mmCIF file of all heavy atoms in Angstrom:
data_model
loop_
_atom_site.group_PDB
_atom_site.id
_atom_site.type_symbol
_atom_site.label_atom_id
_atom_site.label_comp_id
_atom_site.label_asym_id
_atom_site.label_seq_id
_atom_site.Cartn_x
_atom_site.Cartn_y
_atom_site.Cartn_z
ATOM 1 N N LYS T 18 246.300 126.831 102.565
ATOM 2 C CA LYS T 18 246.859 125.847 103.466
ATOM 3 C C LYS T 18 246.106 124.504 103.361
ATOM 4 O O LYS T 18 245.024 124.354 102.796
ATOM 5 C CB LYS T 18 246.798 126.299 104.869
ATOM 6 C CG LYS T 18 247.616 127.542 105.211
ATOM 7 C CD LYS T 18 247.550 127.837 106.728
ATOM 8 C CE LYS T 18 248.409 129.080 106.993
ATOM 9 N NZ LYS T 18 248.418 129.358 108.472
ATOM 10 N N GLU T 19 246.824 123.436 103.829
ATOM 11 C CA GLU T 19 246.286 122.068 103.711
ATOM 12 C C GLU T 19 245.131 121.963 104.864
ATOM 13 O O GLU T 19 245.226 122.600 105.865
ATOM 14 C CB GLU T 19 247.281 121.036 103.909
ATOM 15 C CG GLU T 19 248.265 120.993 102.782
ATOM 16 C CD GLU T 19 249.242 119.853 102.865
ATOM 17 O OE1 GLU T 19 249.255 119.181 103.928
ATOM 18 O OE2 GLU T 19 250.046 119.620 101.972
ATOM 19 N N ARG T 20 244.181 121.044 104.604
ATOM 20 C CA ARG T 20 243.212 120.817 105.583
ATOM 21 C C ARG T 20 244.002 120.086 106.857
ATOM 22 O O ARG T 20 244.828 119.236 106.662
ATOM 23 C CB ARG T 20 242.170 119.876 105.086
ATOM 24 C CG ARG T 20 240.969 119.763 105.930
ATOM 25 C CD ARG T 20 239.756 118.983 105.227
ATOM 26 N NE ARG T 20 239.390 119.812 104.064
ATOM 27 C CZ ARG T 20 238.262 119.424 103.299
ATOM 28 N NH1 ARG T 20 237.633 118.374 103.610
ATOM 29 N NH2 ARG T 20 238.022 120.195 102.323
ATOM 30 N N GLU T 21 243.633 120.511 108.051
ATOM 31 C CA GLU T 21 244.260 120.012 109.229
ATOM 32 C C GLU T 21 243.204 119.563 110.231
ATOM 33 O O GLU T 21 242.043 120.072 110.243
ATOM 34 C CB GLU T 21 245.050 121.010 109.797
ATOM 35 C CG GLU T 21 244.398 122.257 110.290
ATOM 36 C CD GLU T 21 245.354 123.377 110.903
ATOM 37 O OE1 GLU T 21 246.597 122.956 111.032
ATOM 38 O OE2 GLU T 21 244.821 124.362 111.384
ATOM 39 N N GLY T 22 243.614 118.621 111.130
ATOM 40 C CA GLY T 22 242.786 118.093 112.103
ATOM 41 C C GLY T 22 242.613 119.172 113.267
ATOM 42 O O GLY T 22 243.621 119.733 113.618
ATOM 43 N N VAL T 23 241.446 119.377 113.831
ATOM 44 C CA VAL T 23 241.307 120.332 114.965
ATOM 45 C C VAL T 23 240.890 119.521 116.193
ATOM 46 O O VAL T 23 241.664 119.707 117.261
ATOM 47 C CB VAL T 23 240.079 121.265 114.638
ATOM 48 C CG1 VAL T 23 239.745 122.165 115.832
ATOM 49 C CG2 VAL T 23 240.407 122.098 113.401
ATOM 50 N N SER T 24 239.878 118.636 116.104
ATOM 51 C CA SER T 24 239.550 117.790 117.217
ATOM 52 C C SER T 24 238.795 116.617 116.791
ATOM 53 O O SER T 24 237.987 116.860 115.872
ATOM 54 C CB SER T 24 238.665 118.622 118.279
ATOM 55 O OG SER T 24 238.370 117.899 119.392
ATOM 56 N N CYS T 25 238.915 115.540 117.500
ATOM 57 C CA CYS T 25 238.098 114.350 117.074
ATOM 58 C C CYS T 25 237.496 113.740 118.458
ATOM 59 O O CYS T 25 238.158 113.868 119.437
ATOM 60 C CB CYS T 25 239.010 113.379 116.334
ATOM 61 S SG CYS T 25 239.568 113.997 114.689
ATOM 62 N N ILE T 26 236.503 112.956 118.233
ATOM 63 C CA ILE T 26 235.818 112.306 119.346
ATOM 64 C C ILE T 26 235.419 111.017 119.001
ATOM 65 O O ILE T 26 234.950 110.719 117.841
ATOM 66 C CB ILE T 26 234.599 113.231 119.892
ATOM 67 C CG1 ILE T 26 234.094 112.662 121.201
ATOM 68 C CG2 ILE T 26 233.570 113.317 118.810
ATOM 69 C CD1 ILE T 26 233.134 113.643 121.903
ATOM 70 N N SER T 27 235.514 109.970 119.895
ATOM 71 C CA SER T 27 235.201 108.589 119.564
ATOM 72 C C SER T 27 233.668 108.452 119.703
ATOM 73 O O SER T 27 232.989 109.254 120.103
ATOM 74 C CB SER T 27 235.812 107.682 120.626
ATOM 75 O OG SER T 27 235.380 108.033 121.947
ATOM 76 N N ARG T 28 233.207 107.358 119.213
ATOM 77 C CA ARG T 28 231.811 107.083 119.118
ATOM 78 C C ARG T 28 231.100 107.189 120.425
ATOM 79 O O ARG T 28 230.024 107.634 120.469
ATOM 80 C CB ARG T 28 231.480 105.625 118.489
ATOM 81 C CG ARG T 28 232.146 104.529 119.406
ATOM 82 C CD ARG T 28 231.737 103.149 118.747
ATOM 83 N NE ARG T 28 230.349 102.796 118.987
ATOM 84 C CZ ARG T 28 229.872 101.694 118.725
ATOM 85 N NH1 ARG T 28 230.639 100.656 118.275
ATOM 86 N NH2 ARG T 28 228.626 101.429 119.001
ATOM 87 N N SER T 29 231.676 106.825 121.480
ATOM 88 C CA SER T 29 231.028 106.988 122.787
ATOM 89 C C SER T 29 231.257 108.298 123.470
ATOM 90 O O SER T 29 230.710 108.574 124.549
ATOM 91 C CB SER T 29 231.534 105.862 123.757
ATOM 92 O OG SER T 29 232.961 106.114 124.018
ATOM 93 N N GLY T 30 232.268 109.015 122.895
ATOM 94 C CA GLY T 30 232.565 110.340 123.603
ATOM 95 C C GLY T 30 233.640 110.102 124.603
ATOM 96 O O GLY T 30 234.166 111.020 125.273
ATOM 97 N N GLY T 31 234.248 108.870 124.780
ATOM 98 C CA GLY T 31 235.105 108.636 125.872
ATOM 99 C C GLY T 31 236.553 109.037 125.518
ATOM 100 O O GLY T 31 237.402 109.252 126.380
ATOM 101 N N THR T 32 236.887 109.190 124.272
ATOM 102 C CA THR T 32 238.143 109.535 123.784
ATOM 103 C C THR T 32 238.013 110.842 122.951
ATOM 104 O O THR T 32 237.261 110.852 122.044
ATOM 105 C CB THR T 32 238.859 108.468 122.908
ATOM 106 O OG1 THR T 32 238.944 107.354 123.774
ATOM 107 C CG2 THR T 32 240.301 108.885 122.593
ATOM 108 N N GLU T 33 238.986 111.760 123.289
ATOM 109 C CA GLU T 33 239.005 113.049 122.524
ATOM 110 C C GLU T 33 240.462 113.323 122.110
ATOM 111 O O GLU T 33 241.417 113.036 122.854
ATOM 112 C CB GLU T 33 238.507 114.204 123.457
ATOM 113 C CG GLU T 33 236.924 113.958 123.854
ATOM 114 C CD GLU T 33 236.604 115.016 124.887
ATOM 115 O OE1 GLU T 33 237.419 115.902 125.222
ATOM 116 O OE2 GLU T 33 235.421 115.017 125.363
ATOM 117 N N ARG T 34 240.613 114.030 121.019
ATOM 118 C CA ARG T 34 241.974 114.392 120.604
ATOM 119 C C ARG T 34 241.802 115.844 120.039
ATOM 120 O O ARG T 34 240.763 116.345 119.582
ATOM 121 C CB ARG T 34 242.423 113.573 119.393
ATOM 122 C CG ARG T 34 242.429 112.139 119.624
ATOM 123 C CD ARG T 34 243.302 111.368 118.640
ATOM 124 N NE ARG T 34 242.955 109.938 118.509
ATOM 125 C CZ ARG T 34 243.357 109.091 119.444
ATOM 126 N NH1 ARG T 34 244.194 109.488 120.402
ATOM 127 N NH2 ARG T 34 243.115 107.816 119.372
ATOM 128 N N PHE T 35 242.871 116.669 120.425
ATOM 129 C CA PHE T 35 242.817 118.083 120.095
ATOM 130 C C PHE T 35 244.223 118.440 119.416
ATOM 131 O O PHE T 35 245.285 117.849 119.846
ATOM 132 C CB PHE T 35 242.686 118.917 121.258
ATOM 133 C CG PHE T 35 241.293 118.788 121.884
ATOM 134 C CD1 PHE T 35 241.088 117.898 122.909
ATOM 135 C CD2 PHE T 35 240.307 119.573 121.443
ATOM 136 C CE1 PHE T 35 239.840 117.801 123.548
ATOM 137 C CE2 PHE T 35 239.033 119.513 122.043
ATOM 138 C CZ PHE T 35 238.827 118.533 123.124
ATOM 139 N N ALA T 36 244.141 119.276 118.392
ATOM 140 C CA ALA T 36 245.380 119.785 117.913
ATOM 141 C C ALA T 36 246.087 120.672 118.890
ATOM 142 O O ALA T 36 245.344 121.411 119.737
ATOM 143 C CB ALA T 36 245.215 120.600 116.611
ATOM 144 N N ASP T 37 247.305 120.826 118.946
ATOM 145 C CA ASP T 37 248.068 121.584 119.834
ATOM 146 C C ASP T 37 247.554 123.092 119.892
ATOM 147 O O ASP T 37 247.485 123.755 120.850
ATOM 148 C CB ASP T 37 249.614 121.530 119.654
ATOM 149 C CG ASP T 37 250.216 120.227 119.930
ATOM 150 O OD1 ASP T 37 249.579 119.394 120.718
ATOM 151 O OD2 ASP T 37 251.293 119.939 119.577
ATOM 152 N N ALA T 38 247.242 123.554 118.589
ATOM 153 C CA ALA T 38 246.840 124.915 118.414
ATOM 154 C C ALA T 38 245.648 125.213 119.142
ATOM 155 O O ALA T 38 245.412 126.499 119.364
ATOM 156 C CB ALA T 38 246.797 125.275 116.924
ATOM 157 N N VAL T 39 244.653 124.338 119.464
ATOM 158 C CA VAL T 39 243.451 124.615 120.013
ATOM 159 C C VAL T 39 243.312 124.077 121.404
ATOM 160 O O VAL T 39 242.247 124.355 122.156
ATOM 161 C CB VAL T 39 242.275 124.096 119.053
ATOM 162 C CG1 VAL T 39 242.465 124.695 117.666
ATOM 163 C CG2 VAL T 39 242.265 122.597 119.120
ATOM 164 N N GLU T 40 244.323 123.275 121.877
ATOM 165 C CA GLU T 40 244.119 122.609 123.220
ATOM 166 C C GLU T 40 243.944 123.647 124.302
ATOM 167 O O GLU T 40 244.601 124.710 124.306
ATOM 168 C CB GLU T 40 245.579 121.845 123.496
ATOM 169 C CG GLU T 40 245.469 121.167 124.745
ATOM 170 C CD GLU T 40 244.859 119.726 124.675
ATOM 171 O OE1 GLU T 40 245.282 118.978 123.808
ATOM 172 O OE2 GLU T 40 243.977 119.401 125.553
ATOM 173 N N GLY T 41 242.931 123.453 125.112
ATOM 174 C CA GLY T 41 242.678 124.418 126.217
ATOM 175 C C GLY T 41 241.656 125.487 125.830
ATOM 176 O O GLY T 41 241.198 126.192 126.719
ATOM 177 N N ARG T 42 241.466 125.691 124.486
ATOM 178 C CA ARG T 42 240.516 126.690 124.078
ATOM 179 C C ARG T 42 239.194 126.048 123.425
ATOM 180 O O ARG T 42 238.158 126.663 123.587
ATOM 181 C CB ARG T 42 241.117 127.487 122.962
ATOM 182 C CG ARG T 42 242.415 128.318 123.496
ATOM 183 C CD ARG T 42 242.925 129.369 122.466
ATOM 184 N NE ARG T 42 243.294 128.745 121.256
ATOM 185 C CZ ARG T 42 242.783 129.015 119.973
ATOM 186 N NH1 ARG T 42 241.863 129.809 119.849
ATOM 187 N NH2 ARG T 42 243.315 128.396 118.968
ATOM 188 N N PHE T 43 239.439 124.931 122.738
ATOM 189 C CA PHE T 43 238.256 124.255 122.076
ATOM 190 C C PHE T 43 237.917 123.039 122.925
ATOM 191 O O PHE T 43 238.679 122.360 123.507
ATOM 192 C CB PHE T 43 238.690 123.866 120.749
ATOM 193 C CG PHE T 43 238.779 124.966 119.765
ATOM 194 C CD1 PHE T 43 238.921 126.407 120.147
ATOM 195 C CD2 PHE T 43 238.989 124.683 118.417
ATOM 196 C CE1 PHE T 43 239.127 127.282 119.178
ATOM 197 C CE2 PHE T 43 239.135 125.730 117.483
ATOM 198 C CZ PHE T 43 239.216 126.992 117.939
ATOM 199 N N THR T 44 236.605 122.798 122.916
ATOM 200 C CA THR T 44 236.074 121.439 123.461
ATOM 201 C C THR T 44 235.159 120.830 122.466
ATOM 202 O O THR T 44 234.567 121.479 121.613
ATOM 203 C CB THR T 44 235.320 121.652 124.781
ATOM 204 O OG1 THR T 44 234.156 122.595 124.600
ATOM 205 C CG2 THR T 44 236.251 122.317 125.924
ATOM 206 N N ILE T 45 235.160 119.452 122.475
ATOM 207 C CA ILE T 45 234.324 118.737 121.566
ATOM 208 C C ILE T 45 233.329 117.893 122.421
ATOM 209 O O ILE T 45 233.718 117.441 123.449
ATOM 210 C CB ILE T 45 235.257 117.928 120.645
ATOM 211 C CG1 ILE T 45 234.278 117.308 119.471
ATOM 212 C CG2 ILE T 45 235.957 116.777 121.415
ATOM 213 C CD1 ILE T 45 235.190 116.633 118.383
ATOM 214 N N SER T 46 232.112 117.834 121.922
ATOM 215 C CA SER T 46 231.112 116.973 122.587
ATOM 216 C C SER T 46 230.215 116.355 121.697
ATOM 217 O O SER T 46 230.162 116.797 120.468
ATOM 218 C CB SER T 46 230.436 117.811 123.670
ATOM 219 O OG SER T 46 229.622 118.820 123.025
ATOM 220 N N ARG T 47 229.366 115.418 122.132
ATOM 221 C CA ARG T 47 228.394 114.839 121.181
ATOM 222 C C ARG T 47 227.207 114.488 121.895
ATOM 223 O O ARG T 47 227.197 114.141 123.125
ATOM 224 C CB ARG T 47 228.991 113.641 120.452
ATOM 225 C CG ARG T 47 229.302 112.417 121.404
ATOM 226 C CD ARG T 47 230.174 111.402 120.537
ATOM 227 N NE ARG T 47 229.381 110.894 119.385
ATOM 228 C CZ ARG T 47 229.985 110.319 118.285
ATOM 229 N NH1 ARG T 47 231.239 110.149 118.206
ATOM 230 N NH2 ARG T 47 229.171 109.846 117.335
ATOM 231 N N ASP T 48 226.091 114.625 121.255
ATOM 232 C CA ASP T 48 224.777 114.106 121.728
ATOM 233 C C ASP T 48 224.160 113.199 120.739
ATOM 234 O O ASP T 48 223.582 113.573 119.808
ATOM 235 C CB ASP T 48 223.848 115.413 121.936
ATOM 236 C CG ASP T 48 222.523 115.012 122.555
ATOM 237 O OD1 ASP T 48 222.177 113.826 122.568
ATOM 238 O OD2 ASP T 48 221.848 115.972 123.159
ATOM 239 N N ASN T 49 224.481 111.967 121.006
ATOM 240 C CA ASN T 49 224.012 110.933 120.066
ATOM 241 C C ASN T 49 222.588 110.818 119.931
ATOM 242 O O ASN T 49 222.069 110.429 118.939
ATOM 243 C CB ASN T 49 224.673 109.606 120.419
ATOM 244 C CG ASN T 49 226.140 109.448 120.230
ATOM 245 O OD1 ASN T 49 226.583 110.103 119.359
ATOM 246 N ND2 ASN T 49 226.878 108.642 121.004
#
């Protein structure tokens, strides 16, 4: 399969994006 996006987070952590397939199951966070 092709590479696909799962989740992305902005530099500050204020914006997050999730693929429909993982929404509600996966969370993303960062500790700068």
Side-chain angles (χ1 to χ4, degrees):
K18 295 187 177 181
E19 294 186 353
R20 192 170 298 187
E21 62 178 0
V23 176
S24 181
C25 294
I26 189 168
S27 62
R28 58 178 289 187
S29 66
T32 302
E33 302 171 357
R34 305 194 196 284
F35 294 92
D37 290 344
V39 306
E40 183 83 53
R42 298 188 296 124
F43 291 10
T44 59
I45 190 170
S46 62
R47 63 190 301 159
D48 185 339
N49 287 332

